[in-house]
mmCIF file of all heavy atoms in Angstrom:
data_model
loop_
_atom_site.group_PDB
_atom_site.id
_atom_site.type_symbol
_atom_site.label_atom_id
_atom_site.label_comp_id
_atom_site.label_asym_id
_atom_site.label_seq_id
_atom_site.Cartn_x
_atom_site.Cartn_y
_atom_site.Cartn_z
ATOM 1 N N HIS A 101 32.270 55.273 29.988
ATOM 2 C CA HIS A 101 33.028 54.027 29.870
ATOM 3 C C HIS A 101 32.326 53.009 28.986
ATOM 4 O O HIS A 101 32.970 52.150 28.403
ATOM 5 C CB HIS A 101 33.305 53.434 31.246
ATOM 6 C CG HIS A 101 34.316 54.222 32.020
ATOM 7 N ND1 HIS A 101 35.620 54.365 31.617
ATOM 8 C CD2 HIS A 101 34.202 54.929 33.157
ATOM 9 C CE1 HIS A 101 36.266 55.120 32.479
ATOM 10 N NE2 HIS A 101 35.434 55.490 33.422
ATOM 11 N N THR A 102 31.004 53.080 28.879
ATOM 12 C CA THR A 102 30.291 52.120 28.038
ATOM 13 C C THR A 102 30.238 52.551 26.583
ATOM 14 O O THR A 102 29.773 51.800 25.749
ATOM 15 C CB THR A 102 28.852 51.902 28.544
ATOM 16 O OG1 THR A 102 28.171 53.153 28.532
ATOM 17 C CG2 THR A 102 28.856 51.322 29.943
ATOM 18 N N THR A 103 30.708 53.753 26.264
ATOM 19 C CA THR A 103 30.653 54.223 24.883
ATOM 20 C C THR A 103 32.017 54.150 24.208
ATOM 21 O O THR A 103 32.303 54.900 23.306
ATOM 22 C CB THR A 103 30.138 55.670 24.815
ATOM 23 O OG1 THR A 103 31.006 56.494 25.594
ATOM 24 C CG2 THR A 103 28.721 55.779 25.296
ATOM 25 N N GLY A 104 32.856 53.242 24.659
ATOM 26 C CA GLY A 104 34.185 53.076 24.087
ATOM 27 C C GLY A 104 34.135 52.490 22.695
ATOM 28 O O GLY A 104 33.072 52.372 22.081
ATOM 29 N N PRO A 105 35.277 52.081 22.157
ATOM 30 C CA PRO A 105 35.333 51.588 20.789
ATOM 31 C C PRO A 105 34.516 50.318 20.561
ATOM 32 O O PRO A 105 34.005 50.110 19.485
ATOM 33 C CB PRO A 105 36.818 51.325 20.544
ATOM 34 C CG PRO A 105 37.457 51.380 21.869
ATOM 35 C CD PRO A 105 36.560 52.119 22.798
ATOM 36 N N ASN A 106 34.363 49.463 21.561
ATOM 37 C CA ASN A 106 33.602 48.232 21.399
ATOM 38 C C ASN A 106 32.950 47.870 22.730
ATOM 39 O O ASN A 106 33.423 47.001 23.455
ATOM 40 C CB ASN A 106 34.517 47.103 20.912
ATOM 41 C CG ASN A 106 33.737 45.885 20.480
ATOM 42 O OD1 ASN A 106 32.516 45.882 20.538
ATOM 43 N ND2 ASN A 106 34.438 44.856 20.053
ATOM 44 N N PRO A 107 31.808 48.496 23.057
ATOM 45 C CA PRO A 107 31.198 48.270 24.369
ATOM 46 C C PRO A 107 30.626 46.866 24.551
ATOM 47 O O PRO A 107 30.432 46.422 25.662
ATOM 48 C CB PRO A 107 30.098 49.323 24.438
ATOM 49 C CG PRO A 107 29.803 49.682 23.038
ATOM 50 C CD PRO A 107 31.095 49.478 22.288
ATOM 51 N N ASP A 108 30.357 46.155 23.440
ATOM 52 C CA ASP A 108 29.787 44.803 23.555
ATOM 53 C C ASP A 108 30.846 43.726 23.725
ATOM 54 O O ASP A 108 30.521 42.551 23.853
ATOM 55 C CB ASP A 108 28.934 44.490 22.327
ATOM 56 C CG ASP A 108 27.714 45.396 22.243
ATOM 57 O OD1 ASP A 108 27.211 45.809 23.303
ATOM 58 O OD2 ASP A 108 27.282 45.687 21.115
ATOM 59 N N ARG A 109 32.090 44.112 23.683
ATOM 60 C CA ARG A 109 33.186 43.140 23.804
ATOM 61 C C ARG A 109 33.195 42.523 25.192
ATOM 62 O O ARG A 109 33.067 43.193 26.197
ATOM 63 C CB ARG A 109 34.515 43.823 23.551
ATOM 64 C CG ARG A 109 35.678 42.897 23.677
ATOM 65 C CD ARG A 109 36.955 43.619 23.412
ATOM 66 N NE ARG A 109 38.044 42.753 23.827
ATOM 67 C CZ ARG A 109 39.197 43.174 24.244
ATOM 68 N NH1 ARG A 109 39.446 44.449 24.272
ATOM 69 N NH2 ARG A 109 40.113 42.321 24.604
ATOM 70 N N LYS A 110 33.342 41.217 25.239
ATOM 71 C CA LYS A 110 33.456 40.505 26.500
ATOM 72 C C LYS A 110 34.898 40.043 26.672
ATOM 73 O O LYS A 110 35.493 39.476 25.769
ATOM 74 C CB LYS A 110 32.543 39.268 26.508
ATOM 75 C CG LYS A 110 31.090 39.550 26.215
ATOM 76 C CD LYS A 110 30.446 40.278 27.352
ATOM 77 C CE LYS A 110 28.973 40.452 27.071
ATOM 78 N NZ LYS A 110 28.383 41.603 27.609
ATOM 79 N N ASP A 111 35.452 40.351 27.819
ATOM 80 C CA ASP A 111 36.823 39.893 28.100
ATOM 81 C C ASP A 111 36.793 38.397 28.365
ATOM 82 O O ASP A 111 35.959 37.907 29.109
ATOM 83 C CB ASP A 111 37.394 40.612 29.309
ATOM 84 C CG ASP A 111 37.706 42.067 29.006
ATOM 85 O OD1 ASP A 111 37.988 42.362 27.832
ATOM 86 O OD2 ASP A 111 37.673 42.868 29.934
ATOM 87 N N ARG A 112 37.707 37.683 27.735
ATOM 88 C CA ARG A 112 37.777 36.236 27.924
ATOM 89 C C ARG A 112 39.116 35.847 28.494
ATOM 90 O O ARG A 112 40.149 36.369 28.085
ATOM 91 C CB ARG A 112 37.594 35.506 26.588
ATOM 92 C CG ARG A 112 36.247 35.737 25.965
ATOM 93 C CD ARG A 112 36.122 34.970 24.692
ATOM 94 N NE ARG A 112 34.917 35.395 24.008
ATOM 95 C CZ ARG A 112 34.587 35.003 22.813
ATOM 96 N NH1 ARG A 112 35.372 34.189 22.140
ATOM 97 N NH2 ARG A 112 33.481 35.430 22.257
ATOM 98 N N ARG A 113 39.080 34.972 29.419
ATOM 99 C CA ARG A 113 40.320 34.429 29.982
ATOM 100 C C ARG A 113 40.362 32.948 29.695
ATOM 101 O O ARG A 113 39.388 32.232 29.848
ATOM 102 C CB ARG A 113 40.385 34.678 31.490
ATOM 103 C CG ARG A 113 40.477 36.141 31.800
ATOM 104 C CD ARG A 113 40.736 36.332 33.237
ATOM 105 N NE ARG A 113 40.902 37.769 33.479
ATOM 106 C CZ ARG A 113 41.527 38.264 34.487
ATOM 107 N NH1 ARG A 113 42.037 37.475 35.403
ATOM 108 N NH2 ARG A 113 41.642 39.558 34.635
ATOM 109 N N PHE A 114 41.504 32.483 29.311
ATOM 110 C CA PHE A 114 41.631 31.055 28.961
ATOM 111 C C PHE A 114 42.127 30.270 30.123
ATOM 112 O O PHE A 114 42.845 30.619 30.930
ATOM 113 C CB PHE A 114 42.572 30.900 27.766
ATOM 114 C CG PHE A 114 42.027 31.563 26.549
ATOM 115 C CD1 PHE A 114 42.575 32.731 26.094
ATOM 116 C CD2 PHE A 114 40.951 31.044 25.882
ATOM 117 C CE1 PHE A 114 42.078 33.365 24.959
ATOM 118 C CE2 PHE A 114 40.439 31.653 24.762
ATOM 119 C CZ PHE A 114 41.009 32.816 24.289
#
Side-chain angles (χ1 to χ4, degrees):
H101 289 296
T102 59
T103 58
N106 191 0
D108 295 329
R109 179 180 168 208
K110 305 289 184 211
D111 289 332
R112 297 182 190 174
R113 294 188 177 202
F114 297 107

